[in-house]
Amino acid sequence: MLFVVDAVSPTAPPRGARGLHRFANPGRFLRLAGRVLPWVSAIGILLAASGIYWGLFIAPADWQQGDAVRIMYVHVPAAWLASAGYLSLALASAVSLVWRHPLADLAAVEIAPVGAGFTAICLITGSLWGKPMWGAYWVWDARLTSVLVLFFLYLGHIALTRAFDSPERGYRAGAILALVGVVNLPIIKFSVDWWNTLHQPASITLSGAPTMYVGMLWPLLLTALGASFIFAALVLARLSAAVMERRIRALLAARAEAA
Amino acid sequence: MTHLAFIIPSYAVALVIPALFALDAWRRVRAARARLAALEAGRRR
């Protein structure tokens, strides 16, 4: 019983949020996560491993960059997931602020470290790619700087959600920061078009055909899809742990009250 | 293969960071499940 009392808001959810609130029941969420998680993890590992093997050993080297182009197969998926992860953080924050969905708070808290990790991968592999190509590990280029700002936004969210005695205040402050930080996403995306940058423009767009050799495109798409599944699996696993930890706190509080 | 000094650390970072997250998540889930089972058993008694 405490499981439900702890997790579900005492006020009835708004009409539009009732579908979402079906998953506010931690027991239901844990059962669903337990069933989905092994599949999501296995698919992610399989896709990423195939993409990495293809990218490292089958795909051709670039005529200008040589084998350094193979860094692309880890750098680009990490960059996409850094932005996509932040978008999911902002969505969870919006759901938390508007509908007070109890799992949305926890989801935001658990997405932020994983997003920061993938942003770190993007920045580090970008530096390692930049050194042989540009002659420098780092330049204060618009794309690099805006991704660094994204990394700081993630760190800010992690720090802010843990900075208050009351977790609810931390969740609310973090949610506001996450929503304000969304403004950085179009800046990252269009920085290579708006300013003169060392970073190359996008090779894959939704509006046109990719400007990349198909033998390089497929392993890139495979690693990106695999990394997306791995990202989702990590967040699901962390969220399951967070739901159980919340339940433990509730049980301990109930026990202390009874004693 | 050229540029191995940059390629190897890139792939190492891309594998190690998610692996650390996975390890941490697994450890948290395992600890929480055990603690929860102990607390639930205590409540039932």
Side-chain angles (χ1 to χ4, degrees):
Chain A
M1 186 61 191
L2 259 172
F3 224 146
V4 178
V5 171
D6 170 49
V8 180
S9 161
T11 55
R15 186 177 285 272
R18 278 181 199 157
L20 279 173
H21 271 257
R22 279 191 309 123
F23 298 105
N25 182 318
R28 185 176 292 159
F29 169 79
L30 287 175
R31 276 193 301 278
L32 184 71
R35 274 202 293 268
V36 168
L37 191 58
W39 290 100
V40 177
S41 312
I43 292 170
I45 291 169
L46 206 69
L47 287 175
S50 327
I52 285 175
Y53 180 81
W54 192 343
L56 272 179
F57 303 111
I58 302 172
D62 185 71
W63 70 281
Q64 269 184 321
Q65 300 188 28
D67 287 306
V69 76
R70 298 185 199 281
I71 296 173
M72 170 178 74
Y73 303 113
V74 288
H75 172 73
V76 173
W80 285 345
L81 282 167
S83 288
Y86 195 86
L87 194 63
S88 63
L89 170 63
L91 281 174
S93 300
V95 171
S96 154
L97 281 177
V98 176
W99 289 305
R100 303 288 173 90
H101 191 287
L103 278 184
D105 291 331
L106 291 183
V109 169
E110 299 304 333
I111 288 169
V114 182
F118 276 78
T119 313
I121 294 173
C122 168
L123 288 168
I124 296 167
T125 56
S127 284
L128 288 164
W129 196 2
K131 178 65 178 168
M133 295 303 109
W134 303 336
Y137 284 108
W138 184 262
V139 285
W140 290 101
D141 167 288
R143 170 59 69 85
L144 276 69
T145 308
S146 53
V147 174
L148 185 64
V149 169
L150 182 72
F151 184 61
F152 288 141
L153 280 167
Y154 273 125
L155 295 188
H157 186 276
I158 294 167
L160 205 53
T161 49
R162 289 157 176 77
F164 294 87
D165 288 333
S166 151
E168 279 67 32
R169 288 183 66 197
Y171 297 153
R172 174 161 282 218
I176 292 167
L177 173 71
L179 289 176
V180 171
V182 166
V183 75
N184 191 40
L185 295 183
I187 295 177
I188 293 174
K189 169 82 181 85
F190 296 110
S191 56
V192 287
D193 305 319
W194 292 343
W195 294 287
N196 273 326
T197 60
L198 267 178
H199 196 284
Q200 67 169 67
S203 304
I204 302 168
T205 58
L206 289 175
S207 54
T211 59
M212 187 187 289
Y213 171 56
V214 72
M216 294 171 161
L217 181 64
W218 277 110
L220 177 60
L221 294 179
L222 268 182
T223 46
L225 201 60
S228 306
F229 273 95
I230 289 171
F231 190 104
L234 289 175
V235 171
L236 260 182
R238 291 175 63 91
L239 192 50
S240 300
V243 166
M244 286 190 275
E245 285 160 2
R246 181 186 267 192
R247 162 78 172 150
I248 290 166
R249 282 195 298 275
L251 284 175
L252 289 176
R255 182 186 278 186
E257 209 168 291
Chain B
M1 203 180 269
T2 60
H3 300 108
L4 272 180
F6 300 99
I7 295 170
I8 292 170
S10 296
Y11 278 79
V13 163
L15 293 178
V16 165
I17 291 180
L20 289 178
F21 274 112
L23 204 66
D24 177 56
W26 175 76
R27 187 194 53 77
R28 272 179 69 189
V29 167
R30 207 176 63 146
R33 194 171 285 156
R35 188 85 201 274
L36 201 53
L39 282 170
E40 297 279 12
R43 274 179 78 209
R44 262 183 246 117
R45 259 187 266 122

